Amino acid sequence: MKPAPIWQYNEMKPCGVDYTDVEEVAAYDTMHRKFRDYTKSSEEIIRRLGIGSKSIVIDMGAGTGAFALHASKRCRTIYAVDISAPMLEYCRQQAEMQGLSNIVFCQGGLLTYEHVGEPADAIVCVAVLHHLPDFWKMVALKRCHAMLKPGGRLGLFDIVFPPWDENSEAKIDNLIKACGVMADARLAQEAVIHVRDEFSTYDWIMEGVIKRSGFRIDAAEYGDGFQTTYICTRE
């Protein structure tokens, strides 16, 4: 990472849950496996982004390796990027246990990671962009654009909100309750923190930011619980 200007947003400071805490990292993986099928979701991303055995992939916000560990078996090289050193170490240990040698571990984030390898064929960004305020989302996506080959693919998954209306409060309450049912009270509390303290934005803002960052949106899928998937191509 090169030194940042003094006015740049500090993405290294915790936003919401502090995943630089070793105990939080261990709890994260245990909790998410209760309601996420890592293999199934990874295979879907690989298929939709056209990732193959010759592909170079950047997993931006790799966390404990939910995607990177699986995708490494299907691509040439994958860069696992995360601001949390404990998360990267957890992922590294899992890779060593599985005998995976084509993962490059990089501490950094959407605003600070400097890609020095070949341009990537695909970038995956799962539940990461909401850590940045809207101004910085566009900075981040423009940086991703520069890391991709022409025609490279971008897969984004995050919480994205429709315009506020008279039903919005009830929908958010339902999201929090659903998290408790899917996993436990800990995940429900994380949902509270997400809505209150983090930076998920409106759908019309998110689509505008993606397009103005130089991407074509090939698919925009708004699901239950505000879960949203964008499949994009670098223009």
Side-chain angles (χ1 to χ4, degrees), residues 10-209:
N10 180 14
E11 65 179 346
M12 295 299 177
K13 69 178 181 180
C15 171
V17 179
D18 182 5
Y19 287 120
T20 62
D21 184 313
V22 175
E23 292 184 3
E24 289 289 354
V25 171
Y28 174 93
D29 205 53
T30 299
M31 178 176 62
H32 278 249
R33 286 184 182 277
K34 293 179 180 179
F35 64 94
R36 291 174 60 188
D37 186 330
Y38 286 178
T39 298
K40 182 179 179 180
S41 61
S42 296
E43 280 297 318
E44 181 67 5
I45 293 170
I46 289 167
R47 180 187 68 80
R48 300 195 70 178
L49 298 185
I51 294 169
S53 59
K54 296 181 180 179
S55 297
I56 296 172
V57 181
I58 301 172
D59 185 6
M60 195 67 74
T64 56
F67 177 73
L69 293 169
H70 184 82
S72 68
K73 303 165 188 173
R74 302 289 299 278
C75 66
R76 174 155 59 109
T77 305
I78 184 162
Y79 293 82
V81 181
D82 204 281
I83 63 170
S84 168
M87 277 198 156
L88 282 178
E89 180 58 28
Y90 184 100
C91 185
R92 189 196 310 274
Q93 291 174 6
Q94 295 298 310
E96 289 178 357
M97 287 192 300
Q98 296 180 39
L100 304 174
S101 59
N102 62 335
I103 304 176
V104 181
F105 298 94
C106 308
Q107 187 175 10
L110 285 159
L111 302 178
T112 51
Y113 170 65
E114 297 292 335
H115 187 63
V116 295
E118 295 178 47
D121 297 283
I123 294 178
V124 175
C125 188
V126 175
V128 179
L129 206 56
H130 68 261
H131 290 294
L132 298 179
D134 285 354
F135 176 86
W136 294 103
K137 287 181 173 70
M138 187 166 183
V139 176
L141 291 184
K142 278 188 168 291
R143 297 185 81 250
C144 288
H145 184 277
M147 296 176 201
L148 283 166
K149 296 176 180 177
R153 309 300 299 282
L154 170 68
L156 289 174
F157 173 86
D158 221 312
I159 298 297
V160 178
F161 298 114
W164 189 270
D165 60 29
E166 64 273 13
N167 297 316
S168 294
E169 289 189 12
K171 290 176 182 176
I172 291 172
D173 285 338
N174 289 338
L175 166 66
I176 294 166
K177 291 175 184 175
C179 288
V181 172
M182 282 192 303
D184 50 31
R186 186 187 185 97
L187 185 64
Q189 181 59 28
E190 286 198 13
V192 171
I193 293 170
H194 182 118
V195 176
R196 185 186 65 207
D197 298 339
E198 301 181 2
F199 303 106
S200 281
T201 193
Y202 291 112
D203 51 12
W204 54 274
I205 295 176
M206 195 68 254
E207 291 192 18
V209 168

